[in-house]
Amino acid sequence: MKKFKYSEITPEKIYHTRRSFIKSMGYGLGTLSLSSIPLINAKASNLNEPTSYQDITTYNNYYEFGTGKGDPHRRAKNFSTRPWSVKIEGEVEKSLELPIEEVLAIKSEERILKLRCVEGWSMVIPWLGFSLSELLNKVEIKPSAKFVEFETVYNPEEMVGQRYPVLNWPYIEGLRLDEAMHPLTTVVTGLYGKPLPNQNGAPLRIFIPWKYGFKSAKAIVKIRLTKNMPNTAWKNASPREYGFYSNVNPEVDHPRWSQATERVIGESILAPRIETLMFNGYGDEVAHLYSGMDLKKNY
Ligand SMILES: Nc1nc2c(c(=O)[nH]1)N[C@H]1C(S)=C(S)[C@@H](COP(=O)(O)O)O[C@H]1N2
Ligand SMILES: [Mo]
């Protein structure tokens, strides 16, 4: 399976570890591509150790199935992910409805990316997926489109959490169009080389590694191009706590807790928390999207 270019996906710390590893081997960066360094060679940072399949699939946030971390894996077992289709609509010349089979036929690759939850924990997940731009390029986007909205399925029969007004269902998330077109914005189709488990967002979800985990909506049925900034589920629930951008930023505290550090899921509870990095460590790739913006105001 083709690996995504490391310089584009690897959190900063690991990236630098790899660079020094390469240097210590006496190779120049010009002669040896970063992606040819096996994962096993750069263990200096705990960020580099993928979280276990067990933890990734049993410690979840998916309020449609309950607010407990163990609820999704217990309650999503029989969730129906077929038949399924994804509509791309809104500010496009012609809207498109793609059967899930066509989406899954797009070539996925392994992308080892870190998830940083706004609650202060993180995981490293070997996703399978492809860039969202590949899907968006299937439609002709009108110049009036400035944002992209993602909508999770509404199915209270099977999603017991949707029977309660915990959030304003269906779950809506959104990105600015240029964020959505960034190659790191991933349509996730699987993890650990397997189809995506229901609790992780089957049959498809998005993943934006430099933003807090809640931006990465699960079980998507609609992708809507819009003129105006989407009214996202979490911003709607608590605008003071959750902004539209929600870039990982250790310098901007959540009103109720610091965002400076994070707990690594899978480590002993006695293990020290690690430092949270700006843009979750993907700043080299994405910081340019926000040049000139006050990220304290645009949280
Ligand atoms: N539809 C939907 N998507 C969602 C959520 C949710 O409650 N509903 N939770 C979000 C949050 S808060 C996080 S941290 C991630 C967790 O993804 P994971 O369970 O695959 O680790 O999913 C995000 N996507
Ligand atoms: Mo989260």
Side-chain angles (χ1 to χ4, degrees), residues 61 69 115-121 171 212-215 234:
N61 269 341
K69 296 286 182 274
L115 181 153
R116 170 59 159 81
C117 178
V118 75
E119 295 166 335
W121 48 267
Y171 195 99
Y212 291 117
F214 66 85
K215 298 294 287 180
W234 283 102

Side-chain angles (χ1 to χ4, degrees), residues 10-31:
T10 311
E12 226 158 49
K13 274 189 183 165
I14 307 168
Y15 180 56
H16 293 306
T17 308
R18 282 181 207 282
R19 287 174 67 101
S20 47
F21 170 77
I22 295 164
K23 282 194 188 124
S24 72
M25 292 288 290
Y27 296 112
L29 279 171
T31 56

Side-chain angles (χ1 to χ4, degrees), residues 257-282:
W257 57 81
S258 159
Q259 292 291 22
T261 64
E262 65 205 47
R263 181 167 67 87
V264 178
I265 299 299
E267 302 256 298
S268 140
I269 49 164
L270 300 174
R273 295 170 67 91
I274 63 169
E275 218 186 299
T276 288
L277 300 178
M278 187 66 200
F279 298 117
N280 204 21
Y282 301 96

Side-chain angles (χ1 to χ4, degrees), residues 7-8 29 38 56 63 68 83 88 97 106 109 118 142 149 160 170 210 212 219 221 225 232 236 286 290:
S7 61
E8 284 174 23
L29 279 171
I56 293 171
Y63 281 15
I88 307 180
E97 180 163 2
I106 298 173
E109 60 191 8
V118 75
K142 289 185 181 168
E149 189 177 294
V160 295
W210 70 95
Y212 291 117
V221 288
L225 285 291
T232 59
N236 206 22
V286 303
Y290 311 102

Side-chain angles (χ1 to χ4, degrees), residues 9-291:
I9 63 163
T10 311
E12 226 158 49
K13 274 189 183 165
I14 307 168
Y15 180 56
H16 293 306
T17 308
R18 282 181 207 282
R19 287 174 67 101
S20 47
F21 170 77
I22 295 164
K23 282 194 188 124
S24 72
M25 292 288 290
Y27 296 112
L29 279 171
T31 56
L32 187 60
S33 94
L34 289 170
S35 58
S36 63
I37 302 300
L39 194 65
I40 193 111
N41 286 327
K43 277 198 172 152
S45 161
N46 53 2
L47 296 184
N48 204 35
E49 210 57 88
T51 307
S52 70
Y53 185 82
Q54 172 75 14
D55 283 335
I56 293 171
T57 57
T58 60
Y59 190 91
N60 301 100
N61 269 341
Y62 199 170
Y63 281 15
E64 284 84 343
F65 293 102
T67 54
K69 296 286 182 274
D71 292 339
H73 100 272
R74 285 187 289 107
R75 295 183 180 158
K77 278 202 179 73
N78 300 317
F79 173 59
S80 312
T81 59
R82 297 294 188 284
W84 196 279
S85 66
V86 184
K87 285 199 189 106
I88 307 180
E89 57 182 42
E91 300 299 309
V92 297
E93 291 303 334
K94 191 167 175 291
S95 55
L96 182 67
E97 180 163 2
L98 284 168
I100 188 65
E101 291 75 17
E102 258 178 64
V103 178
L104 298 181
I106 298 173
K107 196 170 154 21
S108 281
E109 60 191 8
E110 183 162 74
R111 297 184 168 198
I112 303 170
L113 299 168
K114 188 156 77 103
L115 181 153
R116 170 59 159 81
C117 178
V118 75
E119 295 166 335
W121 48 267
S122 66
M123 297 187 186
V124 176
I125 307 182
W127 299 113
L128 290 177
F130 53 84
S131 294
L132 174 66
S133 62
E134 286 196 49
L135 266 193
L136 294 179
N137 285 335
K138 289 184 183 290
V139 293
E140 206 181 315
I141 299 172
K142 289 185 181 168
S144 52
K146 298 287 180 276
F147 296 90
V148 185
E149 189 177 294
F150 306 93
E151 186 176 314
T152 295
V153 70
Y154 181 68
N155 179 358
E157 301 256 299
E158 294 191 336
M159 294 173 136
V160 295
Q162 286 182 336
R163 298 176 201 166
Y164 308 92
V166 182
L167 288 171
N168 207 354
W169 312 113
Y171 195 99
I172 301 282
E173 257 311 330
L175 297 171
R176 223 169 48 192
L177 184 55
D178 59 338
E179 298 177 316
M181 285 299 196
H182 191 283
L184 273 177
T185 298
T186 302
V187 173
V188 169
T189 58
L191 60 87
Y192 266 109
K194 298 181 203 183
L196 193 60
N198 288 348
Q199 59 271 35
N200 295 94
L204 87 165
R205 60 99 60 88
I206 47 156
F207 188 71
I208 307 109
W210 70 95
K211 293 181 181 278
Y212 291 117
F214 66 85
K215 298 294 287 180
S216 298
K218 297 177 175 183
I220 290 168
V221 288
K222 259 183 217 164
I223 299 175
R224 196 178 303 114
L225 285 291
T226 66
K227 289 180 185 162
N228 301 316
M229 187 180 279
N231 190 10
T232 59
W234 283 102
K235 187 160 65 91
N236 206 22
S238 187
R240 213 172 56 89
E241 294 178 287
Y242 309 105
F244 175 76
Y245 284 95
S246 293
N247 292 315
V248 173
N249 187 343
E251 286 158 26
V252 176
D253 289 344
H254 184 280
R256 291 183 281 138
W257 57 81
S258 159
Q259 292 291 22
T261 64
E262 65 205 47
R263 181 167 67 87
V264 178
I265 299 299
E267 302 256 298
S268 140
I269 49 164
L270 300 174
R273 295 170 67 91
I274 63 169
E275 218 186 299
T276 288
L277 300 178
M278 187 66 200
F279 298 117
N280 204 21
Y282 301 96
D284 285 353
E285 286 77 27
V286 303
H288 69 274
L289 296 171
Y290 311 102
S291 61

